[in-house]
Amino acid sequence: MNETPEDKAFREEVRAWLAEHLNGDFAHARGLGGSGREHEAFEIRLEWERHMAAHGWTCVGWPVEYGGRGASVEQQVIFHEEYALANGPGRVNHIGENLIGPTIIAYGTEEQKKRFLPPIVAATELWCQGYSEPNAGSDLANVQTKAVLDGDVWKVSGQKVWTSLAMEADWCFVVCRSEPGSSRHHGLSYLLVPMDQAGVEIRPIVQITGTSEFNEVFFDDAVTDASHIIGAPGEGWKIAMATLGFERGVATLGQQVGFRREFEGVAELARKTGAVDDPLLRDRLTRSYIELEAMRLNAVRIMEGVAAGAPGPESSISKLVWGTWHRELGEIAMEVLGAAGMLAQGEPYDLDDWQRLFLFSRSDTIYAGSNEIQRNIISERVLGLPREARP
């Protein structure tokens, strides 16, 4: 994308603000909370998020009337790029700012906008996502969590899984089955449920990295106000799909900058260890770089589609491509380290950055729709190929 003079001025403003404020009390926050480390230094990262909010740097793409800056798509991309280049800490308000906030703006009532948007902008209320279930992960339409309207409240019962940072969240947006006897995409509703109540139990899931960003969440007649439904009863699938569309928005290019930083780190490690002298490894690094460039260009295409009104079919391949690329980068890092990559560096035997990258990136091809599911979606819904045989 070609930058206008206004965009260049915006980039300088973002860069200058980050350079000034990621210092002092926040200097040690740089780089905290990356992939596989979402639990890391959570309090200082939350403090940083609220510091950003106080200076008008949260929700930059939201309309001004809802607390944002009204930044263009190009300026939102600039913000994410500069944030990644400055090695800013992992954002703790991503789900509120980039998923539920835009969903409420697009589909919520005026009362819901007044109630829920200001605390997201201020980072005083955090959110988690209640989609996946034990039998409804990649097959989201198989949701079984139930919601019953009882007078002026909804009562929610069921189980959600892989719920990121549920232990820190104040609210959860929950896709649940509100029409008895319904199946698949039909009869679902999209509810906003408070987490701090007796009917909600959170159980952390310890991952292969030894950390537990993911959680199981059990709802046992958990209640929420009857007005805390986005859209009408039965429209949950439509709203849920809209939220997923927002999830694959402008943050994509910022993600690419983070990936580039990781790639350069692996390449530098290969030079230091001499592993780069291996022609086969050198070939893998070259292929990885080419694929990284292709991802960046595809992300630009997606953003141009967003600017034109809606992302094109190229957006459907982004998750499949970056998940596979990131997993393979972790494998390259282990190849560079060789046998030393199997050893922790003394007590307390914490993983180093490359070991964590390798282990955590195994999940990249599973969560948010496994590679197999993504390929089916691309073939059937984008390319129009015959549906896979189903029992």
Side-chain angles (χ1 to χ4, degrees):
M1 291 182 290
N2 295 323
E3 289 187 9
T4 66
E6 291 79 9
D7 291 341
K8 291 179 180 177
F10 182 79
R11 184 181 292 278
E12 289 301 319
E13 182 185 3
V14 175
R15 184 177 296 170
W17 188 86
L18 289 169
E20 178 183 355
H21 290 264
L22 272 174
N23 282 301
D25 292 341
F26 294 114
H28 65 290
R30 289 177 182 263
L32 295 176
S35 295
R37 307 196 324 269
E38 283 86 351
H39 65 289
E40 186 177 58
F42 190 86
E43 290 303 321
I44 187 65
R45 288 163 54 213
L46 178 58
E47 185 181 346
W48 165 250
E49 194 84 26
R50 291 172 177 170
H51 181 77
M52 291 177 64
H55 290 81
W57 288 110
T58 58
C59 308
V60 294
W62 288 18
V64 173
E65 60 266 34
Y66 299 127
R69 283 180 171 245
S72 66
V73 170
E74 290 80 7
Q75 289 173 345
Q76 293 174 63
V77 169
I78 287 168
F79 175 81
H80 287 290
E81 286 182 337
E82 290 300 323
Y83 191 88
L85 288 168
N87 205 19
R91 302 287 299 278
V92 302
N93 199 22
H94 165 75
I95 294 175
E97 179 172 329
N98 296 304
L99 278 72
I100 187 59
T103 302
I104 292 173
I105 291 172
Y107 296 98
T109 65
E110 287 306 311
E111 291 74 16
Q112 289 168 344
K113 293 172 185 177
K114 291 176 182 176
R115 165 61 186 86
F116 292 109
L117 297 181
I120 295 175
V121 174
T124 54
E125 287 183 349
L126 303 180
W127 287 78
C128 61
Q129 182 177 27
Y131 276 23
S132 294
E133 299 182 5
N135 292 309
S138 291
D139 183 17
L140 181 58
N142 197 32
V143 162
Q144 298 301 312
T145 294
K146 292 179 172 57
V148 177
L149 187 59
D150 184 6
D152 59 357
V153 299
W154 290 95
K155 291 186 176 179
V156 180
S157 295
Q159 178 187 359
K160 296 294 180 178
V161 73
W162 315 124
T163 311
S164 298
L165 296 177
M167 63 288 194
E168 306 289 354
D170 303 288
W171 289 83
C172 182
F173 50 97
V174 183
V175 177
C176 45
R177 196 160 296 283
S178 58
E179 295 180 11
S182 64
S183 64
R184 305 301 298 165
H185 313 83
H186 308 288
L188 300 175
S189 292
Y190 190 109
L191 303 181
L192 312 180
V193 180
M195 296 292 282
D196 186 13
Q197 58 171 301
V200 176
E201 180 186 356
I202 302 168
R203 299 180 189 172
I205 299 172
V206 178
Q207 299 155 206
I208 195 171
T209 56
T211 59
S212 53
E213 293 86 3
F214 295 138
N215 303 267
E216 296 177 285
V217 180
F218 296 86
F219 298 98
D220 184 10
D221 277 345
V223 298
T224 192
D225 193 86
S227 66
H228 291 167
I229 179 172
I230 304 297
E235 291 186 338
W237 183 257
K238 179 183 78 172
I239 307 299
M241 292 302 99
T243 301
L244 291 179
F246 292 125
E247 184 177 20
R248 295 172 186 175
V250 294
T252 306
L253 273 176
Q255 179 193 57
Q256 305 306 319
V257 177
F259 284 168
R260 181 176 296 277
R261 191 163 56 236
E262 288 183 331
F263 171 84
E264 290 173 350
V266 173
E268 179 61 24
L269 182 67
R271 286 189 286 269
K272 287 182 177 178
T273 61
V276 74
D277 296 331
D278 180 345
L280 295 179
L281 178 64
R282 202 159 57 242
D283 180 69
R284 291 192 72 184
L285 284 168
T286 301
R287 289 176 180 271
S288 183
Y289 176 79
I290 293 170
E291 291 166 0
L292 182 60
E293 279 295 296
M295 284 195 297
R296 183 184 67 82
L297 294 172
N298 189 59
V300 171
R301 282 202 303 165
I302 293 171
M303 292 307 100
E304 289 174 344
V306 171
E314 62 271 8
S315 64
S316 300
I317 70 173
S318 61
K319 169 59 173 62
L320 173 65
V321 172
W322 72 251
T324 303
W325 180 89
H326 202 220
R327 182 188 66 187
E328 291 176 352
L329 182 67
E331 293 171 355
I332 294 173
M334 287 298 99
E335 187 174 342
V336 169
L337 287 172
M342 295 186 287
L343 299 175
Q345 304 302 310
E347 293 185 3
Y349 302 111
D350 286 338
L351 301 173
D352 66 23
D353 289 343
W354 308 120
Q355 292 166 329
R356 187 178 290 106
L357 169 65
F358 169 72
L359 292 174
F360 185 82
S361 63
R362 314 310 293 170
S363 69
D364 285 340
T365 56
I366 301 172
Y367 68 77
S370 68
N371 274 13
E372 292 75 14
I373 293 295
Q374 295 299 328
R375 291 188 178 100
N376 279 354
I377 291 172
I378 293 167
S379 64
E380 295 174 9
R381 301 184 190 177
V382 177
L383 300 178
L385 299 176
R387 285 172 59 86
E388 181 184 42
R390 289 169 170 80

